[in-house]
C-alpha cells in the first residue's frame, strides 16, 4: 500500500480555539471559502473508488497485524490486542525482576488546534513537579495526535514538545490558496509545511523508541475518520513502528497528519489499498469529525482482559485542549459568522459528550477519572491561528498548572453523583 496517492497535496492541522477543531479562524484565512464551496459543488478531483465497508475488514495496512481497527467494530479485535499487550507487559516486568504490578495509567489528549499548547505545557509542568507517571496507553486526536507521541515517550521528549507549539507559527502549518485554486481543489489551504514539520520530529529514532515501548506492552493510539465510510479508525502506532516495512515511518506521518485534517479546510489523506487485486482509495480526515477525545472503545471491558488484577485501581487522565464551552460572542448576522460560530458550538458540545462517554466507561471498569481543561481564568486575547504570543502564554499557563499540581476534576461538567 502506498501511503498517499500521487499528485495529492501534503499536510494539514487544526487551527482554532475553544475546542477541537474550531473552524472560525479558517473562515478568516479564506474569506471566499463559502463562495468557493458553492461554485465548486459540481467539481471534484479524480480518485479511485472508495473501499466498501463490507470489504474493510480485509485490509491490513502494510500487512501489519493490529495496525488499526474500527472504533465501533468487532470488540474481539481490540480485546485480542489488549490480551497481547497485557502478556507483553507481564513478560517485560518478569524479565526486569519487577514483582509489584503498578496501576495502568491512561492518557487521552483531545484536539483543539493551537490550544494544544495548553496540554503540552501541562505535561511539561507535570514532569517538573516530579510525579508524572509513565502512561501505559496514550491516545490522541487532531492536535492531540501531534503531541501524543511525545507524551508517550515521556520526559525525554519534553524539549521537543516545548518547541512544537511555542515555536510554531501559521506559516509552519499552511499556505493560503488563491480563490481560483480552491475551486479546483479539495481544500482551502495547502498544508505542505505541516507534513515537513511532522516528519522533522517523527524521525527513525522516534519510530524505534515507539517500537521498543510497544514490546513492553504499551499502546500509542491515534484516531482518524474514514470519511467515505463515516467511521472512526483507531491506528496502533506501536505496531506500525515495529514493522520492518520501509514504508512504516511514512505511514505513521500520514496517520498523524490525517488525524489533524479539518475536512474542507485542509486536504484529506488518500490511502491506496488493494483488495482481491482491485485498487481502491480511502479518504481519511480529522479524527475530530467523529470524536474530540477517546480513551478506549466502550465495548472493551478491562476487567475481562487482565484478571490478574481484578481489584487493582487503574487511572485515566483526560486533557481537554480548550474550554468546555465556546466563548460567548455577539454573532454578526452574516452567513460566514453564523456558520463558523455554529460549527464551533457543535464541536465544543461534542467534546463534552465525549467526556461523559469516557466517564461512564471508566466508572463501569473501575478506572479513576481525571479531567483537565482550559479554564476561564485564562484571558490572553486570541489574535489568529497559531499566533506565537498566544501559544507561548498558553503553554506557560499550562506549565504553571502542571508544576503546581493540577487539581484534576473527578466528574464531567454538570454531572452530580
Amino acid at each position: 500500500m502506498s501511503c498517499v496517492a500521487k499528485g495529492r497535496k501534503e499536510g494539514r492541522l487544526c487551527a482554532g480555539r475553544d475546542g477541537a477543531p474550531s473552524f472560525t479562524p479558517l473562515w478568516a484565512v479564506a474569506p471566499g471559502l463559502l463562495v468557493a464551496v458553492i461554485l465548486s459543488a459540481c467539481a471534484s478531483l479524480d480518485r479511485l473508488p472508495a473501499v466498501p465497508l463490507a470489504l474493510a475488514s480485509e485490509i491490513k495496512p502494510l500487512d501489519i497485524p493490529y495496525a488499526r481497527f474500527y472504533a465501533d467494530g468487532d470488540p474481539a479485535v481490540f480485546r485480542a490486542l489488549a490480551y497481547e499487550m497485557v502478556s507483553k507487559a507481564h513478560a517485560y516486568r518478569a524479565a526486569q525482576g519487577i514483582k509489584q504490578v503498578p496501576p495502568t495509567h491512561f492518557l487521552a489528549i483531545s484536539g483543539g488546534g493551537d490550544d494544544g499548547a495548553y496540554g503540552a505545557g501541562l505535561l511539561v509542568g507535570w514532569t517538573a513537579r516530579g510525579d508524572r507517571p509513565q502512561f501505559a496507553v496514550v491516545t490522541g486526536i487532531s492536535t492531540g495526535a501531534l503531541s501524543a507521541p511525545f507524551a508517550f515517550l515521556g520526559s525525554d521528549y519534553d524539549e521537543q514538545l516545548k518547541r512544537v507549539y511555542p515555536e510554531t507559527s501559521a506559516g509552519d502549518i499552511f499556505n493560503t490558496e488563491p480563490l481560483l485554486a480552491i475551486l479546483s481543489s479539495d481544500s482551502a489551504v495547502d498544508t505542505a509545511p505541516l507534513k515537513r514539520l511532522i516528519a522533522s520530529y517523527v524521525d527513525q529514532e522516534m519510530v524505534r523508541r515507539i517500537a521498543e515501548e510497544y514490546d513492553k506492552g504499551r499502546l500509542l493510539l491515534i484516531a482518524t475518520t474514514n470519511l467515505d465510510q463515516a467511521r472512526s479508525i483507531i491506528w496502533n502506532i506501536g505496531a506500525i513502528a515495529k514493522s520492518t516495512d520501509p514504508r512504516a515511518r511514512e505511514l505513521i506521518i500520514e496517520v498523524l497528519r490525517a488525524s489533524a485534517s479539518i475536512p474542507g479546510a485542509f486536504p484529506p489523506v488518500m490511502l491506496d489499498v488493494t483488495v482481491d487485486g482491485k485498487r481502491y482509495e480511502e479518504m481519511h480526515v480529522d479524527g475530530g469529525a467523529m470524536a474530540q477525545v477517546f480513551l478506549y472503545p466502550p465495548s472493551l471491558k478491562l476487567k475481562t482482559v487482565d484478571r490478574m488484577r481484578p481489584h487493582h485501581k487503574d487511572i485515566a487522565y483526560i486533557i481537554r485542549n480548550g474550554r468546555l464551552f465556546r466563548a460567548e460572542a455577539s454573532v454578526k448576522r452574516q452567513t460566514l459568522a453564523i456558520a463558523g460560530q455554529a460549527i464551533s458550538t457543535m464541536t465544543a458540545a461534542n467534546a463534552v459528550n465525549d467526556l461523559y462517554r469516557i466517564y461512564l466507561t471508566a466508572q463501569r471498569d473501575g478506572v479513576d477519572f481525571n479531567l483537565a481543561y482550559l479554564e476561564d481564568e485564562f484571558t490572553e486575547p486570541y489574535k489568529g491561528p497559531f499566533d506565537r504570543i498566544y501559544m507561548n502564554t498558553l503553554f506557560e499557563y499550562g506549565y504553571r498548572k502542571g508544576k503546581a499540581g493540577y487539581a484534576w476534576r473527578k466528574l464531567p461538567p454538570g454531572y452530580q453523583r
Side-chain angles (χ1 to χ4, degrees):
M1 178 187 74
S2 65
C3 287
V4 187
K6 291 183 179 179
R8 300 289 179 181
K9 291 183 296 184
E10 301 176 342
R12 58 202 103 264
L13 178 68
C14 328
R17 64 173 302 191
D18 302 326
S22 172
F23 278 61
T24 307
L26 292 172
W27 297 111
V29 169
L33 179 57
L34 184 62
V35 176
V37 169
I38 295 173
L39 293 177
S40 62
C42 298
S44 65
L45 296 174
D46 292 335
R47 61 165 294 184
L48 295 173
V51 180
L53 184 60
L55 299 178
S57 61
E58 300 180 28
I59 299 172
K60 289 185 178 179
L62 304 184
D63 293 324
I64 301 171
Y66 303 127
R68 70 180 188 184
F69 50 92
Y70 284 77
D72 61 347
D74 184 358
V77 177
F78 193 61
R79 191 180 305 119
L81 172 62
Y83 276 125
E84 181 176 315
M85 290 297 101
V86 168
S87 298
K88 286 183 176 182
H90 288 327
Y92 174 74
R93 286 194 295 267
Q96 298 296 313
I98 302 173
K99 295 182 179 180
Q100 185 176 3
V101 180
T104 298
H105 291 93
F106 295 85
L107 174 65
I109 311 176
S110 83
D114 40 14
D115 278 348
Y118 168 69
L122 183 66
L123 286 168
V124 176
W126 198 353
T127 297
R129 178 177 169 82
D131 57 355
R132 174 178 156 185
Q134 182 186 72
F135 302 105
V137 179
V138 176
T139 72
I141 284 182
S142 201
T143 194
L146 300 182
S147 56
F150 304 107
F152 179 74
L153 293 177
S155 58
D156 288 349
Y157 278 79
D158 276 3
E159 287 301 319
Q160 290 91 323
L161 186 56
K162 286 181 184 179
R163 295 197 298 267
V164 167
Y165 291 97
E167 297 182 14
T168 298
S169 63
D172 298 317
I173 304 300
F174 58 80
N175 299 317
T176 57
E177 295 275 48
L179 179 59
L180 291 179
I182 296 175
L183 299 180
S184 59
S185 181
D186 56 2
S187 62
V189 297
D190 168 27
T191 49
L194 176 63
K195 183 176 182 180
R196 292 193 293 270
L197 180 65
I198 296 174
S200 69
Y201 287 107
V202 184
D203 55 15
Q204 290 293 355
E205 174 63 14
M206 173 181 272
V207 173
R208 183 188 65 79
R209 290 285 304 276
I210 292 173
E212 287 179 350
E213 297 306 313
Y214 183 69
D215 281 338
K216 299 176 185 177
R218 299 178 62 219
L219 285 171
L220 172 58
L221 305 175
I222 301 298
T224 67
T225 300
N226 184 318
L227 199 59
D228 296 313
Q229 299 173 354
R231 293 292 190 278
S232 181
I233 308 295
I234 299 178
W235 295 81
N236 182 2
I237 303 301
I240 300 173
K242 187 172 171 57
S243 171
T244 58
D245 192 299
R247 298 167 292 177
R249 173 175 171 263
E250 177 71 9
L251 179 56
I252 292 173
I253 293 170
E254 295 298 69
V255 169
L256 294 178
R257 73 185 185 97
S259 183
S261 303
I262 301 174
F266 298 149
V269 169
M270 307 299 296
L271 302 182
D272 292 345
V273 298
T274 301
V275 181
D276 295 331
K278 183 175 180 179
R279 291 182 62 206
Y280 297 92
E281 269 186 328
E282 296 179 342
M283 180 181 287
H284 289 263
V285 299
D286 197 319
M290 293 293 296
Q292 306 304 311
V293 62
F294 75 103
L295 193 61
Y296 54 85
S299 60
L300 177 70
K301 296 181 179 180
L302 289 186
K303 297 306 179 184
T304 66
V305 175
D306 193 354
R307 295 185 177 89
M308 293 180 64
R309 308 180 305 153
H311 305 296
H312 204 85
K313 191 72 172 181
D314 297 327
I315 305 170
Y317 297 94
I318 299 92
I319 297 179
R320 166 72 177 131
N321 282 315
R323 305 174 196 274
L324 292 178
F325 303 99
R326 181 187 66 78
E328 66 175 326
S330 179
V331 182
K332 295 181 180 179
R333 294 187 62 180
Q334 185 182 62
T335 302
L336 295 183
I338 294 171
Q341 295 293 358
I343 291 172
S344 292
T345 301
M346 288 187 291
T347 300
N350 287 341
V352 172
N353 294 339
D354 293 331
L355 296 176
Y356 270 84
R357 181 176 62 252
I358 291 173
Y359 176 76
L360 293 175
T361 302
Q363 287 290 293
R364 180 199 66 191
D365 293 341
V367 178
D368 186 35
F369 177 91
N370 297 272
L371 170 66
Y373 55 85
L374 181 56
E375 299 171 59
D376 290 339
E377 65 182 11
F378 180 76
T379 58
E380 177 69 22
Y382 188 77
K383 300 176 182 177
F386 302 99
D387 176 72
R388 286 192 176 183
I389 295 177
Y390 175 82
M391 288 193 294
N392 271 282
T393 306
L394 183 54
F395 180 92
E396 290 300 325
Y397 171 79
Y399 179 87
R400 291 193 300 272
K401 288 284 187 178
K403 188 175 182 180
Y406 188 81
W408 296 87
R409 270 53 176 182
K410 308 303 290 185
L411 297 170
Y415 185 83
Q416 293 185 358
R417 287 193 179 95

